Amino acid sequence: MARRLRRIGPVVVPVLLSIADALLVNGLGMALELSVSVVAAAALLLRRRWPLPVFLVTLPGLYIGYIWFAPMIALYTLAVRRPGRARLACCALLLIAAHFLPYPISDFEPTSYRENTLVLIDATVSSAAPIALGLLVHTRRELASRIEELTRSMRREDRLLAERVKATERARLAREMHDVVAHQVSLISLQAGAVQVSTADEAARTGARTIRELAIRTLEELRHMVGVLRAAGGDAQEARELAPQPDLDELPRLIELSALDVTYEGGAVAGAGRPSGAGTVERAAYRTVQEALTNVRKHAPGARVRVRIDAVEPAEGAAAGLLVEIRNGPPDASATAPALPGGGHGLVGLRERAQSLGGTLEARPTSDGGFVVRAEFPYGRG
């Protein structure tokens, strides 16, 4: 109710004041004067949409009916909404003439210099005051709009500055990560190469070769990830080219290098035609399997693992998708758990990745003491 009154009040109140002005000045006995005055007052209802025509309609009310509120309010609205200098000057002259010249025109006394001068001054002030007030309100609104636009611009600049700072910090972290991790992994690769060359034990040689291959793959992925971090905030195409591109075809090798007892079931997808969005989805599937196998090594040493990759039949109105399931049994009591560090963020990151692609990820313990990670990814989002 209060909001409606605030919206209707500025429109209706000037009309009521102008009608009261017409009744007080002309009374009920002066039909012509009262009629033109009431028409001028009613025209104020349309002053915001058509300020110039409404002002012209109110002039007969001033000239014939001697009313004040309607033409002055109309001139004020014109100054607020159509603040052209030439237009306002012409309208001011019209209001001065309607105020200065009497009705009927035959009553005009050119020789009454003192009285005519006072009326002319009064008419000039009556026309200048609403114009000055209207221009002041118009300028104030324009300044408020400029300040709001400047505020938005400053906020945009602050966001851009924050993004530049983030990009700079990201590049610095990428350099530090590359320097630290690459150095350590390079030492691992060199030590594994030395063992591979110096040992006569075939099993030790095979293990050293596997370690060296894993180190090389780790350095390659590290290089790609550092490239992604350094390209953040830059060209999106460059970032895509730098991003690591593992897919389902590389899963058998990942499983082979995991040194776990893994059964891989991926025949339903292997060799199939890749639908739209397959690249992003298959990278997510690869990372899901990679993280799940890492968790098995950490928390369930010696456990048997089953990795299943299957196509999801599209439901009515839905897109085809990909099912990824990694299920491991209970850990082997005789196996030694490796002291691998963990931050507890792996499954959280996998769940966020699945949700960003429009899919789901479920991770829970099983009744036999094992654990299962199950994710579904729809195609068409990459």
Side-chain angles (χ1 to χ4, degrees):
M1 185 63 179
R3 184 180 299 176
R4 181 177 299 177
L5 289 176
R6 285 196 299 268
R7 187 173 63 252
I8 297 177
V11 177
V12 175
V13 171
V15 177
L16 298 178
L17 290 175
S18 299
I19 293 176
D21 183 28
L23 291 174
L24 291 173
V25 172
N26 299 294
L28 298 176
M30 304 174 67
L32 177 61
E33 290 81 353
L34 183 61
S35 298
V36 295
S37 299
V38 170
V39 169
L44 293 179
L45 292 171
L46 305 174
R47 71 185 190 279
R48 292 183 174 179
R49 181 170 296 182
W50 298 298
L52 181 58
V54 168
F55 170 75
L56 297 177
V57 169
T58 62
L59 289 178
L62 174 62
Y63 179 62
I64 299 174
Y66 298 101
I67 60 174
W68 289 89
F69 283 164
M72 292 180 70
I73 292 173
L75 186 58
Y76 161 80
T77 305
L78 182 65
V80 171
R81 295 183 172 266
R82 304 287 189 274
R85 294 184 178 180
R87 183 187 299 110
L88 291 178
C90 292
C91 291
L93 292 176
L94 289 176
L95 190 144
I96 291 172
H99 185 189
F100 178 74
L101 298 175
Y103 175 81
I105 193 64
S106 58
D107 294 342
F108 181 66
E109 294 290 343
T111 57
S112 301
Y113 301 114
R114 181 174 180 276
E115 183 179 351
N116 291 340
T117 301
L118 290 175
V119 173
L120 182 61
I121 293 174
D122 190 16
T124 303
V125 172
S126 299
S127 63
I131 290 178
L133 183 59
L135 291 177
L136 178 63
V137 172
H138 174 77
T139 303
R140 182 177 179 276
R141 291 179 179 176
E142 198 173 53
L143 286 175
S145 177
R146 297 272 181 89
I147 291 174
E148 185 178 355
E149 182 180 351
L150 181 61
T151 302
R152 289 196 299 267
S153 177
M154 292 178 64
R155 288 175 180 171
R156 286 195 298 268
E157 290 180 1
D158 289 342
R159 286 196 297 269
L160 292 176
L161 179 60
E163 290 176 1
R164 286 197 294 270
V165 171
K166 288 180 181 178
T168 302
E169 185 66 14
R170 198 176 283 122
R172 186 184 67 82
L173 290 175
R175 289 192 297 269
E176 290 186 3
M177 182 176 69
H178 180 271
D179 294 342
V180 174
V181 179
H183 174 70
Q184 301 295 335
V185 175
S186 298
L187 290 178
I188 294 173
S189 177
L190 289 174
Q191 293 293 335
V195 172
Q196 182 181 354
V197 172
S198 61
T199 185
D201 188 346
E202 184 62 29
R205 187 181 293 115
T206 302
R209 183 169 57 249
T210 301
I211 293 173
R212 191 165 185 271
E213 184 176 345
L214 286 172
I216 293 173
R217 287 171 62 89
T218 300
L219 284 174
E220 183 66 19
E221 291 203 9
L222 176 64
R223 183 183 67 83
H224 284 303
M225 292 305 298
V226 170
V228 171
L229 289 174
R230 299 186 68 175
D235 183 45
Q237 180 63 34
E238 179 186 358
R240 283 195 295 270
E241 290 174 356
L242 289 172
Q245 303 294 322
D247 54 21
L248 297 181
D249 294 335
E250 297 188 30
L251 273 181
R253 186 56 178 164
L254 173 68
I255 293 172
E256 179 184 350
L257 295 174
S258 67
L260 296 172
D261 184 4
V262 181
T263 302
Y264 177 50
E265 301 175 4
V269 177
R274 300 306 203 243
S276 173
T280 303
V281 169
E282 291 192 8
R283 284 194 294 276
Y286 180 92
R287 296 303 181 193
T288 302
V289 175
Q290 187 180 47
E291 178 64 23
L293 295 180
T294 300
N295 289 338
V296 171
R297 281 196 297 270
K298 289 180 181 178
H299 308 297
R304 302 186 63 181
V305 185
R306 183 169 67 93
V307 176
R308 183 164 72 97
I309 308 292
D310 204 352
V312 176
E313 293 297 329
E316 183 177 356
L322 189 68
L323 169 67
V324 181
E325 184 179 275
I326 306 95
R327 184 183 297 269
N328 65 272
D332 187 351
S334 62
T336 303
L340 296 176
H345 304 296
L347 292 178
V348 175
L350 292 180
R351 186 172 287 108
E352 291 176 352
R353 182 194 288 262
Q355 291 174 351
S356 69
L357 294 175
T360 59
L361 186 137
E362 174 191 13
R364 56 178 176 81
T366 59
S367 58
D368 61 353
F371 202 82
V372 60
V373 176
R374 178 186 175 92
E376 290 189 15
F377 304 97
Y379 284 118
R381 294 288 297 272

